[in-house]
Amino acid sequence: MRISPADTFDRLVQLTAPGAPVAPVVAALADAAGEVVALRPALEQAHASAYLLGEMDRITGAARTLHDSLAELAATDGMTTFDPAFASDD
């Protein structure tokens, strides 16, 4: 089984560069969380370890939290691009 959300998370590093638009990141996070959720039933049927399922839930939760936070910043504060000052937080 190929887990494509990993590719999405890898691309987020480039998508969140200073001055980059926020909207594609919000969309990518929603897609990645949805893909992880969609993979869960197959792992349950394959009797995957509880640890792996727990990690999938953690990743899904983190992606959704970040998605919701960025969407809120875009909606309430009008954030449309990543501030170059964020780079100093890395």
Side-chain angles (χ1 to χ4, degrees):
M1 173 188 340
R2 174 146 166 69
I3 300 178
S4 62
D7 294 334
T8 300
F9 291 132
D10 286 342
R11 285 187 303 114
L12 289 179
V13 173
Q14 297 157 351
L15 291 174
T16 58
V22 170
V25 176
V26 172
L29 286 166
D31 290 345
E35 290 174 23
V36 171
V37 168
L39 292 170
R40 186 178 172 84
L43 288 174
E44 288 171 343
Q45 289 177 357
H47 302 291
S49 72
Y51 172 78
L52 181 56
L53 292 172
E55 287 299 297
M56 289 183 71
D57 290 342
R58 185 183 64 78
I59 291 166
T60 301
R64 286 181 174 160
T65 298
L66 185 54
H67 167 272
D68 294 348
S69 296
L70 287 173
E72 183 178 346
L73 283 170
T76 59
D77 295 342
M79 182 176 158
T80 58
T81 61
F82 288 95
D83 189 325
F86 288 169
S88 65
D89 293 340
D90 294 343

